[in-house]
Amino acid sequence: MDVGVLALQGDVSEHRAILSSLGATVVELRSARDVARVDALVLPGGESTAMSVLLRASDLVDPLRERIAAGVPTLGTCAGMILLAEEVLDGRPDQVRLAAVDITVRRNAFGRQVNSFEADLDATALGADGLDTAPIHAVFIRAPGVVRVGPSVEVLATLAPRPGVTAPEPVLLRQGSVVVAAFHPELVGERRVHQLVLGALRQAASA
Ligand code: GLN
């Protein structure tokens, strides 16, 4: 399994470590040629506006769009989730939208860097994919908030209501073979989110 991690900016080495521990061969994506040769894609956390500039400069927007549209299993965490969303609020005008998941996200919805926080998420929904259902320890750093979820999107985990917010907020979602997380599983050695994507890859291979 060759898994490509977009390596223009962001927490690339943390994703590399998790993927390697799951037996994948990691390819750092910097060119269209790299994008063409991998079996799955990971868009890391970092800064989606900076990544947008670098994605255009490296001519990677169309190659990524094409591979994702062709059904290549894809994971986006935090900034990666923003890049994969259908619609972005509080983005920059030149923000890249790969529009792979029918959600609307608001950048920095939980506040600034100092408002970063950690929370344990109920992971019951992961059982349907054969994964352990112990709570997910989730780290949120200038995280996007999901303010709209389209009908074809599955919500796999939510953040429990907190002061001022009454409804549970979706933070781990899936549409087809694309998984997005508002938090950073790669920063705490949480492997199940990556396993969801590698599981989709195995399914595709055996179909
Ligand atoms: N706020 C960042 C952005 O807009 C995302 C933060 C992160 O990936 N930790 O891209």
Side-chain angles (χ1 to χ4, degrees), residues 45-48 78-79 82 107-108 141-142 184:
E47 181 50 58
S48 63
C78 202
I82 297 170
R107 288 184 60 229
N108 304 327
I141 304 169
R142 288 184 303 115
H184 292 276

Side-chain angles (χ1 to χ4, degrees), residues 18 126 135-137 183 185-194:
I18 301 247
L126 300 187
I136 297 171
H137 187 67
F183 55 94
E186 71 280 10
L187 294 185
V188 292
E190 165 59 63
R191 309 200 304 171
R192 288 170 288 172
V193 174
H194 293 73

Side-chain angles (χ1 to χ4, degrees), residues 49-132:
T49 54
M51 282 186 211
S52 291
V53 171
L54 296 168
L55 279 167
R56 287 191 214 281
S58 326
D59 286 327
L60 284 178
V61 178
D62 287 337
L64 284 172
R65 273 209 188 107
E66 282 158 23
R67 298 273 354 246
I68 297 167
V72 168
T74 300
L75 169 64
T77 61
C78 202
M81 172 196 238
I82 297 170
L83 292 172
L84 289 165
E86 179 72 33
E87 190 183 10
V88 178
L89 305 179
D90 294 342
R92 293 226 318 226
D94 59 350
Q95 186 104 28
V96 164
R97 277 189 310 106
L98 297 171
V101 181
D102 186 17
I103 53 174
T104 302
V105 299
R106 183 181 297 284
R107 288 184 60 229
N108 304 327
F110 300 94
R112 305 169 67 88
Q113 188 87 20
V114 290
N115 305 115
S116 297
F117 64 100
E118 302 183 16
D120 287 324
L121 311 175
D122 184 300
T124 308
L126 300 187
D129 283 80
L131 297 172
D132 187 81

